[in-house]
Amino acid sequence: MKAFVVAKYGKNGARAAQVPEPTVGDRDVLVRVSAASINPLDKMVRNGEFKQLLKYRLPFTLGHDVSGVVTRVGSAVRGFEVGDEVYARPRDLRIGSFAEFIAIDQDDVSPKPASLTFEEAAAVPLVALAAWQILVDRARVQPGQKVLIHAGAGGLGSTVIQLAKHLGATVATTTGTDTEKLVRSLGADVVVDYTKEDFSKVLSGYDLVLDSLGGTNLEKSLTVLRPGGLAIGVVGPPDAGFAKQLGAPSFMGLVMNTLSRKVRKQAKALGVRYQFLFMRADGSQLRKLSALYDSGKLRPVVDRTFPFDQTLEAMAYVEQGRTKAGKVVVSMVPDGD
C-alpha cells in the first residue's frame, strides 16, 4: 500500500513509499483510511523531538488522526464490525494514518460522528481529545470559571473554545484581526487581537490558561491567573508527568523537570501552577465527543483539504504558517468530496 513514512529524522525525512499492509492483531480493527489531518505533532515526531521517549523504528508511517471504514476485525474485538464508519487518534508508537490502511487497537477507536463527513471527522480526534483532557480531566472546569485560550482560531484553540463554553466557562482568546469573527462565532466572550494588544495588560483573574505557543507567551500567561490558577502548556516545556505518562525510566522524569524548572519556579513565585499536557488516545472519550458533534455543541473547523498524494505538501502548508483557521485535512478522494 502507499504510505508517507519517516525514513530519517529531520525536515526532509518524510517521503512516499510502498509498505506492507498492517498486521491485524487480536484486539485490532483494520481501517481503510478515508481521510487524515495534519497536526503540529506530525512535524515534531518527524523531526525526532520525542525520540528519546517515543522510540519509533525507522522507517515508520506518520499521521495521528484518521477517519475511515473498518475492513477487518481481530478475534478479540467487540463492538466493531466490517463496514463501520469510525474515527480515531491511534496511540503513540502505533500511529500511521498517512496510508491507505491502518490497524488500530479497539480501545482507541470510536464510531464516527454521523453528522460529519469523513474529512470533517478526520480533523477532530487529536484536538478534541486534547480539549477534553485539558478541560475535563486535568482542569475540571466548572460553570462560571474564566478560561483563556491562546491561538483561538487554530485547530486546538477552536475546539477548546467550544468545549469550554459547553462546560459553562467564560472564555477569552487571543487571535488575529482576520479571525476575530470566527472565534466569536465559536463562543469566545472576550477576544484580544494580539496584533493590537498585549493580553497580559488587559486580562486578569483567570482560572485556567491554555498555552499552545510557549516561550514568552507562556511566561506572560502565568501573570493573568488568579492565585492557585493553572496554566497548561501543550508545546512545552515538558515536566515529570510527561515521562511518567509514556512509561519512561525515572531519570527521564528528572530530565523533564529540569527542562521546565524555570517556568515552574516562575509559577510558584506567582502562587499559580504550570503543567504540561501530552494528549493520549482514548476511544471512550471520542464516543462522548461524537455525541457533542452530533448534537451541534461542537463543530470542526477545516481550513483546506488536500488529496492524499499531496500529503507532504499539506504538511509544508501547515509548517509554513499558511493555515488561516482550523485544521488541514488529507483526503483519499482527490477533490475532497
Side-chain angles (χ1 to χ4, degrees), residues 282-304:
D282 192 318
S284 63
Q285 289 183 352
L286 281 178
R287 288 174 184 266
K288 296 174 184 175
L289 288 156
S290 287
L292 293 177
Y293 281 97
D294 282 338
S295 68
K297 297 290 193 303
L298 301 179
R299 63 180 174 92
V301 179
V302 175
D303 176 87
R304 181 175 170 184

Side-chain angles (χ1 to χ4, degrees), residues 134 138 156 208-214 218 222 230-239 263 273-279:
I134 290 163
R138 191 71 66 89
L156 177 58
L208 172 69
V209 177
L210 168 61
D211 176 73
S212 56
L213 302 172
L218 172 58
L222 300 175
L230 173 64
I232 293 180
V234 294
V235 296
D239 55 20
V263 69
R273 296 168 292 148
Y274 167 75
Q275 295 176 4
F276 175 70
L277 185 130
F278 190 82
M279 60 75 56

Side-chain angles (χ1 to χ4, degrees), residues 3-36:
F4 289 88
V5 304
V6 176
K8 62 179 180 180
Y9 286 121
K11 184 173 182 180
N12 299 312
R15 60 177 176 82
Q18 288 293 324
V19 302
E21 285 192 15
T23 300
V24 181
D26 291 346
R27 293 176 44 81
D28 294 344
V29 296
L30 183 67
V31 176
R32 180 189 294 274
V33 177
S34 297

Side-chain angles (χ1 to χ4, degrees), residues 81-99:
E81 299 178 351
V82 171
D84 285 350
E85 297 182 352
V86 297
Y87 73 151
R89 190 292 206 191
R91 65 188 55 184
D92 299 310
L93 302 181
R94 294 203 62 186
I95 63 170
S97 60
F98 298 162

Side-chain angles (χ1 to χ4, degrees), residues 173-180 183-184 190-199 202:
T173 192
T174 57
T175 196
T177 308
D178 293 344
T179 48
E180 180 175 346
V183 297
R184 288 193 185 280
V190 179
V191 179
V192 178
D193 184 337
Y194 69 85
T195 68
K196 300 175 181 177
E197 289 185 295
D198 181 342
F199 74 90
V202 295

Side-chain angles (χ1 to χ4, degrees), residues 2 65 134 221 335:
K2 185 173 183 178
D65 275 326
I134 290 163
S221 294
D335 62 3

